[in-house]
């Protein structure tokens, strides 16, 4: 064994006086684990010799340097603590809920590609069958941990960690990214206000013009492919590239000379802009811990729904007060998106933890001349092709094999389809029955806007409901535990509001009924819809934690597909069935779906127990 002084090269590394302590601590920890597993004194000595030999190898010859040791922190001081009070390793942190469930699509992430060839039975068969075997396995795992794996030093207090940023800077980033989501969804709906003058200029029918709305939403439906790309390159490059593409594809819309150009350009606008809907939620998880992310996640969640509600108002105001110069809408969107792109470039840094750790490892390799420093992302064997392939395949597996996924996805899809159908129905109802002008029709969507904000403000109420369910379970079983079904009360409460709001809107669309009454009905529908979306999204994340991103991607695909289809038949349906019974038909659809949230609340745990993909406890 080498007798070289351990402090020989410490002047090139960190705090010379700390190195012998760290080495000693490392050996003592391993000895303790060996004792717990029933090992003899000789095996402990053998373990000590092995570790000392490894330490000498790290320090000998002047070729390499001792690895950076992260400071121990407890949960109390913000670190990710293990049961014995020591901070988790970076690998443990990545595989635990603190990062794994907050890193990609709509703010949540999964390790879809890890152990894909292992089923549950195989994993179960390899678990230790005794306490001694478990301790031996723990000892082996500790021996195999790479001391050169780069992680956060001090947990969330690491200066490079985005969660250590000042609160004002975090909210600046959240505000810009949420405003990007608002811009994209606003652009999807504001287009509907240009139908009249655009149809007259291009000589096309209203149905053909509506295809431009559908192709935009269809582009959004394909947006989840941005998430796996963000896992390789980080969030900032995706933001910059996607929003630059969104701005570029607004140009053909502004200068289009035929409806075909408009339809194609609208599709690519939706595809490029969807990055904000599929990636920006992950930024919330990058910046905030799970116990502090409720408010920023609520802001992120409400932005995509406020956009469609205000789109017709913006489009109506611009088109009406420019005397039908509908191209000005696209000019305004160009200016808006260009300003956002500058804001992203200046004020939104990279926040994706794996990419930041990769940069940290690269700097360490350069400053220490030690090629052994690696970040977890650099050790990953996942390829871009395989990751994107799984991101496209897994959502359809969940839709086909998981009845809860399918039913809840269809329910949320019907709701978003109705919302986009209203973009054609509201002008018919309020212009024909009440003589509203184009910009006044835009104001009728304010009921949906107020509803979205109201439902968002109710978030603390549902948190208290979940806490009471956990307390009730504790009193009954003695175990403090939450279940995915605890996320469903907002859906259960929102479902009757959805149906009631639709029937109220439908049967008050008579000329002799004051115009405020159907707007109130649409607001009730909006509150129920927002509650349903919130509950469904969080239930899917908790019920399918390993496949959360895939579950949300499948939901987004089905939801946006319905939103693309419904406007194509909405006007014809309202003209043939009448305003009242056309809306009543939509109400009966939601009435048929109303029992399912309650059924899943009561029987969801039993259904998950027989599932291939869902969490079973």
């Amino acid at each position: 064994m080498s007798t070289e002084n351990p402090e020989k090269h410490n002047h090139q590394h960190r705090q010379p006086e700390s190195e012998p302590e760290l080495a000693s601590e490392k050996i003592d920890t391993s000895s303790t684990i060996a004792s717990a597993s029933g090992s003899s004194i000789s095996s402990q000595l053998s373990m000590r010799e092995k570790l000392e030999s490894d330490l000498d190898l790290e320090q000998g010859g002047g070729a390499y340097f001792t690895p950076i040791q992260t400071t121990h922190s407890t949960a109390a001081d913000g670190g990710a603590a293990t049961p014995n009070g020591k901070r988790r390793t970076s690998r443990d942190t990545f595989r635990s809920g603190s990062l794994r469930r907050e890193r990609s699509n709509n703010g949540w992430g999964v390790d879809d590609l890890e152990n894909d060839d292992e089923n549950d039975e195989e994993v179960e068969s390899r678990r230790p069958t005794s306490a001694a075997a478990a301790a031996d396995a723990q000892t082996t795992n500790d021996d195999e941990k790479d001391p050169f794996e780069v992680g956060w030093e001090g947990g969330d207090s690491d200066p490079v960690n985005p969660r250590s940023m000042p609160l004002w800077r975090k909210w600046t980033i959240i505000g810009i990214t949420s405003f990007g989501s608002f811009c994209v969804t606003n652009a999807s709906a504001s287009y509907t206000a240009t139908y009249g003058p655009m149809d007259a200029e291009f000589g096309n029918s209203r149905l053909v013009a509506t295809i431009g709305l559908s192709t935009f939403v269809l582009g959004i439906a394909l947006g989840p492919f941005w998430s796996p790309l963000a896992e390789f390159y980080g969030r900032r490059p995706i933001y910059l590239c996607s929003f630059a593409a969104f701005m570029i594809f607004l140009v053909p819309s502004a200068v289009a000379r035929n409806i075909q150009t408009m339809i194609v350009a609208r599709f690519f606008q939706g595809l490029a802009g969807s990055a904000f809907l599929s990636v920006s939620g992950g930024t919330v998880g990058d910046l905030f811990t799970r116990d502090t992310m409720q408010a920023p996640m609520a802001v992120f969640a409400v932005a995509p729904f406020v956009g469609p509600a205000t789109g017709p108002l913006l489009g109506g105001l611009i088109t009406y007060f420019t005397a039908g110069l509908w191209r000005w809408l696209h000019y305004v969107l160009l200016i808006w998106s260009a300003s956002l792109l500058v804001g992203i470039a200046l004020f939104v840094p990279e926040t994706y933890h794996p990419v930041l750790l990769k940069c940290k490892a690269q700097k360490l390799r350069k400053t220490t001349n030690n090629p052994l420093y690696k970040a977890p992302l650099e050790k990953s064997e996942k390829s871009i092709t395989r990751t994107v392939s799984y991101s496209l395949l897994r959502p359809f597996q969940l839709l086909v094999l998981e009845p809860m996924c399918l039913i809840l996805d269809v329910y949320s899809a019907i709701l978003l389809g109705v919302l986009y159908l209203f973009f054609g129905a509201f002008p018919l109802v309020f212009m024909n029955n009440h003589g509203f002008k184009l910009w006044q029709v835009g104001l009728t969507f304010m009921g949906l806007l107020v509803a979205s904000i109201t439902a968002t403000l109710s978030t603390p109420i549902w948190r208290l409901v979940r806490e009471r369910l956990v307390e009730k379970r504790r009193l009954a079983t003695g175990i403090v535990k939450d279940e995915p079904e605890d996320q469903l009360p907002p859906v259960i409460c929102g479902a009757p509001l959805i149906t009631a709001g639709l029937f109220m809107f439908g049967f008050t669309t008579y000329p002799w009924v004051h115009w405020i009454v159907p707007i109130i009905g649409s607001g009730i529908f909006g509150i129920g819809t927002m509650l349903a979306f919130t509950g469904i999204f969080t239930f899917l994340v908790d019920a399918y934690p390993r496949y959360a991103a895939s579950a949300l991607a499948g939901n987004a695909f089905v939801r946006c597909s319905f939103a693309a289809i419904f406007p194509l038949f909405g006007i014809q349906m309202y003209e043939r069935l009448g305003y009242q019974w056309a809306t009543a038909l939509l109400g009966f659809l939601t009435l048929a779906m109303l029992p399912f949230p309650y059924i899943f609340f009561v029987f969801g745990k039993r259904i998950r127990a027989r599932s291939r993909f869902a969490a079973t406890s």
Side-chain angles (χ1 to χ4, degrees), residues 462-473:
W462 304 113
R463 185 167 61 250
L464 291 175
V465 170
R466 288 193 293 272
E467 291 174 356
R468 290 184 180 180
L469 290 173
V470 172
E471 178 63 15
K472 181 180 179 180
R473 192 175 295 113

Side-chain angles (χ1 to χ4, degrees), residues 26 29 33 51 54 58 82 84 87-92 137-149 379:
K26 186 176 181 181
T29 302
I33 295 172
L51 290 171
D54 291 343
E58 292 163 2
T82 55
N84 62 5
R87 194 176 68 83
R88 293 173 181 164
T89 64
S90 58
R91 182 179 304 174
D92 294 333
Q138 179 64 39
T139 302
T140 302
N141 289 338
D142 287 346
D143 290 341
E144 294 176 353
K145 287 178 181 177
D146 184 1
F148 290 96
E149 184 175 277
K379 297 180 178 182

Side-chain angles (χ1 to χ4, degrees), residues 314-479:
L314 175 67
L317 288 172
I318 293 173
T319 305
Y320 182 82
F321 289 103
T322 57
L325 297 178
W326 58 270
R327 296 180 190 275
W328 267 103
L329 170 64
H330 302 284
Y331 297 148
V332 170
L333 291 174
L334 265 171
I335 298 170
W336 186 358
S337 59
S339 301
L340 272 172
L341 185 60
V342 172
I344 295 166
L346 295 179
F347 302 111
V348 180
E350 180 57 64
T351 61
Y352 187 43
H353 292 216
V355 170
L356 291 175
L357 288 175
K358 180 180 176 181
C359 295
K360 183 178 180 180
Q362 291 171 344
K363 291 180 179 178
L364 281 173
R365 289 197 295 268
K366 183 177 180 180
T367 56
T368 64
N369 197 30
N370 185 351
L372 295 181
Y373 287 112
K374 298 285 185 181
L377 185 63
E378 295 175 300
K379 297 180 178 182
S380 175
E381 298 179 355
K382 296 188 295 185
S383 66
I384 296 179
T385 303
R386 187 164 178 244
T387 303
V388 174
S389 298
Y390 269 90
S391 71
L392 297 177
L393 173 63
R394 187 81 72 190
F396 292 100
Q397 287 181 313
L398 293 172
L399 287 173
V400 172
L401 300 175
E402 295 295 316
M404 288 195 297
C405 260
L406 178 62
I407 292 173
L408 291 176
D409 287 355
V410 170
Y411 189 28
S412 60
I414 291 174
L415 300 183
L416 193 66
V418 172
L419 180 63
Y420 272 81
L421 186 148
F422 278 171
F423 296 144
F426 275 36
L428 287 176
V429 171
F430 292 103
M431 294 180 79
N432 293 341
N433 286 352
H434 302 286
F436 279 20
K437 297 180 174 62
L438 184 60
W439 68 273
Q440 292 173 320
V441 171
L443 288 173
T444 62
F445 287 88
M446 292 301 97
L448 294 172
L449 173 63
V450 173
S452 298
I453 296 174
T454 302
T456 302
L457 293 177
S458 71
T459 299
I461 297 175
W462 304 113
R463 185 167 61 250
L464 291 175
V465 170
R466 288 193 293 272
E467 291 174 356
R468 290 184 180 180
L469 290 173
V470 172
E471 178 63 15
K472 181 180 179 180
R473 192 175 295 113
R474 184 191 68 81
L475 294 175
T477 65
I479 300 174

